[in-house]
Amino acid sequence: AQSVAQPEDQVNVAEGNPLTVKCTYSVSGNPYLFWYVQYPNRGLQFLLKYITGDNLVKGSYGFEAEFNKSQTSSHLKKPSALVSDSALYFCAVNPNAGKSTFGDGTTLTVKP
Amino acid sequence: EAEVAQSPRYKITEKSQAVAFWCDPISGHATLYWYRQILGQGPELLVQFQDESVVDDSQLPKDRFSAERLKGVDSTLKIQPAELGDSAMYLCASSLSKADGYTFGSGTRLTVV
């Protein structure tokens, strides 16, 4: 069975500082990997995806992610956090079976 | 930018009543998903459609939940009877292919009292 873990429930950073949100996963084969963001009382918004190739992927809103297949992990990063980046961030894996499994999310709080 | 439409945004219902949610995916997206998100948790798949056919409903509580996508476009998720534990956000998503990521609607926040 596939699983996704986001080891930090909460990440706090000061505005202007770099941010990192972590994810590990367990799934067979070579899955597709995704990051999403969710603002209060809204649906999830797609940030970026990794399928194959370069392990550093750039996405929306200045975010980028590192993917490490040997460690089955991914780190979502942004060099300089904004207060408006405060939200809930989800990692998801999608094996060839075609449905995504989501982690439980990490709440990012960026303080001015 | 194209959006996934969901209605209603909020629904309060009494337990044992019936409730229905509607979703209109992005035009041309053959795959449609219904997810349930309990507060503090990630979304969990309830049902996946490919066109009008159910691909995966293994986590759908079929004694009370039903889903349909009759013409392969919009979809309805129904709960009858609702239970207190059904209180959650119900999210609809669609995708062009599994490699593209999902586009989510804004969700329906259900409260069962």
Side-chain angles (χ1 to χ4, degrees), chain A residues 48-69:
Chain A
L48 52 81
K49 66 181 178 184
Y50 174 79
I51 298 176
T52 188
D54 194 348
N55 292 338
L56 181 64
V57 176
K58 294 188 183 299
S60 306
Y61 313 119
F63 284 90
E64 59 186 20
E66 293 177 342
F67 296 90
N68 188 325
K69 285 204 166 182

Side-chain angles (χ1 to χ4, degrees), chain B residues 12 15 23 30 36 39-40 47 56 58 68 73 82 88 98 110 112:
Chain B
I12 300 175
K15 64 180 181 178
C23 171
R36 177 170 60 185
L39 191 64
V47 62
D56 186 341
S58 57
E68 60 183 17
V73 181
K98 65 178 183 285
L110 173 67
V112 182

Side-chain angles (χ1 to χ4, degrees), chain A residues 1-4 23 26 28 42 44 59 62 65 67 83 86 93 95 98 100 103:
Chain A
Q2 60 204 52
S3 64
V4 179
C23 171
S26 174
S28 58
R42 305 290 296 182
L44 283 68
F67 296 90
V83 172
S86 298
V93 296
S100 282

Side-chain angles (χ1 to χ4, degrees), chain A residues 11-91:
Chain A
V11 171
N12 298 312
V13 299
E15 187 174 30
N17 283 0
L19 68 88
T20 300
V21 180
K22 300 174 185 176
C23 171
T24 61
Y25 60 92
S26 174
V27 62
S28 58
N30 292 308
Y32 302 150
L33 304 166
F34 301 90
W35 281 96
Y36 293 86
V37 60
Q38 185 178 33
Y39 297 98
N41 292 313
R42 305 290 296 182
L44 283 68
Q45 297 177 30
F46 170 80
L47 278 177
L48 52 81
K49 66 181 178 184
Y50 174 79
I51 298 176
T52 188
D54 194 348
N55 292 338
L56 181 64
V57 176
K58 294 188 183 299
S60 306
Y61 313 119
F63 284 90
E64 59 186 20
E66 293 177 342
F67 296 90
N68 188 325
K69 285 204 166 182
S70 63
Q71 296 183 2
T72 60
S73 67
S74 176
H75 291 172
L76 179 70
K77 295 175 178 286
K78 188 171 184 181
S80 178
L82 301 172
V83 172
S84 58
D85 292 328
S86 298
L88 188 54
Y89 290 82
F90 290 96
C91 174

Side-chain angles (χ1 to χ4, degrees), chain B residues 89-102:
Chain B
M89 175 79 88
Y90 289 82
L91 295 165
C92 179
S94 68
S95 67
L96 193 58
S97 75
K98 65 178 183 285
D100 290 322
Y102 298 172

Side-chain angles (χ1 to χ4, degrees), chain B residues 57-106:
Chain B
D57 64 355
S58 57
Q59 300 302 310
L60 188 71
K62 298 182 188 63
D63 56 335
R64 299 186 300 108
F65 285 65
S66 64
E68 60 183 17
R69 193 184 183 197
L70 292 176
K71 296 183 179 179
V73 181
D74 58 337
S75 176
T76 302
L77 178 70
K78 297 179 181 178
I79 308 175
Q80 182 174 16
E83 296 180 353
L84 295 177
D86 296 331
S87 295
M89 175 79 88
Y90 289 82
L91 295 165
C92 179
S94 68
S95 67
L96 193 58
S97 75
K98 65 178 183 285
D100 290 322
Y102 298 172
T103 301
F104 282 86
S106 293

